[in-house]
Amino acid sequence: MTEPSLIRDAARVDLDAVNAVVEAAIHTWKLPERVKRLALPVYRYTPEDLGHLQLRVLEQSAGVVAVAAWEPADPRDLPGAGSGMLLHGLYVDPERHGQGLGARLLDDASGAARMRGHDGIVVRAQADAEGFFARRGFTRLPVRDEARDYAARLWLPLS
């Protein structure tokens, strides 16, 4: 049986729980520990981020167990003309992997993108997450500008 959950906008009071989920997720990445430690401050969300990003949490009885953040994408990150949403991050508490929580947050993000009239969602995926996004219909975008483009840039059209 699936535990009841609620997806909602994050508030300033949620940031400690949000960042705990982000940190736990990053610690599962297949990267050297030093790299994870150095990268963590960049991935943490701050009160200022609440003014720039749409930050959503999935909450269960244990509290915040998954997080997604997005904003309108820079047109240079998109595969063509039109508009898109940049998915900054999608993090699930590692103890809850495989329960469909990431997919639920991705569906929430897709709905938000459609409501805003975006043509699709672009994500700069961490290597360990590429399979998750590929299973949900994302395809890899070619690197056009090696100095600027993230190697694992993935696109989901919302037609």
Side-chain angles (χ1 to χ4, degrees):
M1 184 166 141
T2 304
E3 181 178 347
S5 56
L6 168 71
I7 296 175
R8 62 174 175 78
D9 289 334
R12 188 181 189 117
V13 68
D14 296 313
L15 289 175
D16 286 342
V18 163
N19 288 323
V21 169
V22 170
E23 183 172 342
I26 287 173
H27 280 296
T28 68
W29 293 356
K30 293 177 182 94
L31 293 171
E33 290 303 315
R34 181 176 185 277
V35 173
K36 293 178 203 178
R37 182 175 40 81
L38 292 172
L40 261 173
V42 176
Y43 285 93
R44 287 192 177 104
Y45 293 102
T46 67
E48 292 77 28
D49 291 324
L50 295 174
H52 301 286
L53 300 173
Q54 180 73 44
L55 187 61
R56 301 277 283 170
V57 296
L58 190 145
E59 191 172 44
Q60 293 183 330
S61 60
V64 172
V65 295
V67 178
W70 60 79
E71 69 177 337
D74 184 314
R76 296 177 295 170
D77 287 326
L78 304 178
S83 70
M85 183 175 80
L86 173 62
L87 182 63
H88 272 273
L90 180 64
Y91 306 95
V92 176
D93 179 335
E95 293 180 13
R96 288 170 173 76
H97 281 185
Q99 297 179 12
L101 304 182
R104 288 194 51 212
L105 277 173
L106 185 56
D107 289 345
D108 183 59
S110 296
R114 282 187 183 92
M115 284 181 44
R116 290 172 177 83
H118 291 303
D119 299 306
I121 299 173
V122 66
V123 63
R124 297 175 192 140
Q126 198 277 331
D128 295 352
E130 280 190 76
F132 168 84
F133 290 110
R135 288 189 300 277
R136 278 142 189 90
F138 283 77
T139 57
R140 189 182 271 250
L141 294 173
V143 173
R144 294 179 295 212
D145 179 353
E146 289 191 23
R148 183 182 184 287
D149 288 349
Y150 197 83
R153 228 169 15 111
L154 306 170
W155 173 253
L156 177 68
L158 296 174
S159 52

